[in-house]
Amino acid sequence: MEATGDQLILATGGYDHTIKLWQAHTGNCIRTLRFVETSQVNALDRTPDKTRLAACGYQCIRLYDLESNCTVPVINFESVQKNITRLGFQEDGNWMYTAGEDHRVRIWDMLSATPHCSRVFDCQAPVNAACLHPNQVEIAMGAQNGGVYLWDVKSEVHEQLIPEVDASIQDVAISPDGQYMAAVNNKGNCYIWSLSSSPNQKLTTLQPKLKIAAHKRYVLRCKFSPDSRLLVTTSGDGTARIWKSDDFTMWRELCIEGYWVWDAAFSADSKYLFTASSDGIARLWKLQTKNPERKYTGHTKAITALSFRDEIVSE
């Protein structure tokens, strides 16, 4: 995400209705973008060409230009209902997906001057999470009814699983190497599936692998590292926990006592982790030492979302 020059940019958003762009290597805030006065920021992602940033919240999806100094969105998506919980971009930036509490995951055509919805999947329950498979055609989803769904955007083939009854799925993640899928819920549990595919299959096969009692409280997010060797889970228990994907044992625990850890993102070399927490501070952790190397202070309320997908953060 390059706002000016070749700077490494971290984007954060939260309950203070703002999105802040930071120099990742200095901790300096270089710009504050205005979000919606009636909503927190639920998720952030940038376009693959690094020129625009998408943000979503209650009844809103906004797109910001990172190459200008403008602090207001360049596109407001029309006819958005209820809480939009997640968004992300296809690797070429041709389309964007969004998930929301209106039960739907939508595909937005980003090639037209005004983005429009081209496909819709109805989960028949509020959707908390969605992520794109590295094959760029399947989307995994997690819903408040406990359902985990896999949907092929092109063929419309789909599958539903319910790993645990009476539990809400809070986030889903697929490893970049396509080997594993993770889903976390409000009971503190993390479920792992092995993924496999073959040319004659219509949809990736999900094979249950493991249940991890990841946290004692609500799990908020899960993400795999770029090298697929690590999985992070964040929670309302004040921790981000790092699990090794070879056996899914816990490798590191990062603590922010007394606060919720809302979101996390790995650096490109998988050696650093950014966290967003309810104390209004984003942190950069060196995983080998478990130490916070840098703090990003400026938000006046909880930070609920962050985005960082860039080159390696140097020491």
Side-chain angles (χ1 to χ4, degrees), residues 61-100:
I61 304 166
R62 301 286 187 263
L63 196 66
Y64 298 85
D65 183 358
L66 297 177
E67 295 187 313
S68 76
N69 290 318
C70 185
T71 62
V72 296
V74 291
I75 296 176
N76 295 338
F77 287 66
E78 299 296 329
S79 305
V80 177
Q81 296 181 341
K82 297 195 176 180
N83 207 25
I84 307 301
T85 52
R86 289 290 191 280
L87 50 71
F89 288 96
Q90 179 259 358
E91 64 181 1
D92 297 321
N94 294 339
W95 50 266
M96 180 179 77
Y97 64 88
T98 61

Side-chain angles (χ1 to χ4, degrees), residues 146-164:
V148 175
Y149 304 80
L150 193 63
W151 173 43
D152 186 302
V153 174
K154 289 184 177 178
S155 70
E156 303 280 359
V157 173
H158 66 274
E159 183 180 351
Q160 178 189 3
L161 306 164
I162 300 182
E164 183 176 347

Side-chain angles (χ1 to χ4, degrees), residues 115-222:
H116 64 274
C117 179
S118 59
R119 289 176 187 262
V120 180
F121 182 83
D122 188 347
C123 285
Q124 299 182 330
V127 187
N128 287 333
C131 74
L132 184 59
H133 190 293
N135 65 20
Q136 301 297 305
V137 295
E138 293 175 339
I139 293 178
M141 302 162 252
Q144 290 180 20
N145 65 353
V148 175
Y149 304 80
L150 193 63
W151 173 43
D152 186 302
V153 174
K154 289 184 177 178
S155 70
E156 303 280 359
V157 173
H158 66 274
E159 183 180 351
Q160 178 189 3
L161 306 164
I162 300 182
E164 183 176 347
V165 295
D166 299 324
S168 171
I169 301 295
Q170 300 304 115
D171 203 9
V172 290
I174 296 176
S175 60
D177 63 8
Q179 293 286 307
Y180 297 114
M181 182 173 76
V184 292
N185 68 22
N186 61 344
K187 301 289 183 71
N189 295 321
C190 175
Y191 289 85
I192 306 292
W193 290 265
S194 296
L195 306 184
S196 62
S197 61
S198 62
N200 59 352
Q201 282 179 220
K202 289 185 176 180
L203 198 66
T204 293
T205 300
L206 306 173
Q207 184 67 38
K209 178 178 174 66
L210 195 65
K211 174 187 175 182
I212 306 168
H215 296 269
K216 292 180 180 178
R217 291 185 64 186
Y218 222 92
V219 190
L220 296 161
R221 287 287 210 283
C222 61

Side-chain angles (χ1 to χ4, degrees), residues 289-309:
T289 62
K290 297 191 290 184
N291 292 328
E293 299 270 303
R294 194 163 293 115
K295 292 183 178 180
Y296 305 83
T297 57
H299 282 283
T300 57
K301 293 182 179 179
I303 303 176
T304 48
L306 54 76
S307 174
F308 182 84
R309 280 210 245 154

Side-chain angles (χ1 to χ4, degrees), residues 20-69:
K20 291 184 180 292
L21 305 179
W22 312 81
Q23 286 180 325
H25 61 289
T26 66
N28 293 332
C29 180
I30 58 176
R31 199 185 326 161
T32 299
L33 308 174
R34 296 204 303 266
F35 194 52
V36 183
E37 289 301 320
T38 53
S39 176
Q40 77 281 4
V41 180
N42 288 331
L44 294 165
D45 196 19
R46 60 91 199 264
T47 54
D49 65 6
K50 304 182 181 183
T51 62
R52 296 184 292 178
L53 178 75
C56 62
Y58 181 70
Q59 293 186 334
C60 63
I61 304 166
R62 301 286 187 263
L63 196 66
Y64 298 85
D65 183 358
L66 297 177
E67 295 187 313
S68 76
N69 290 318

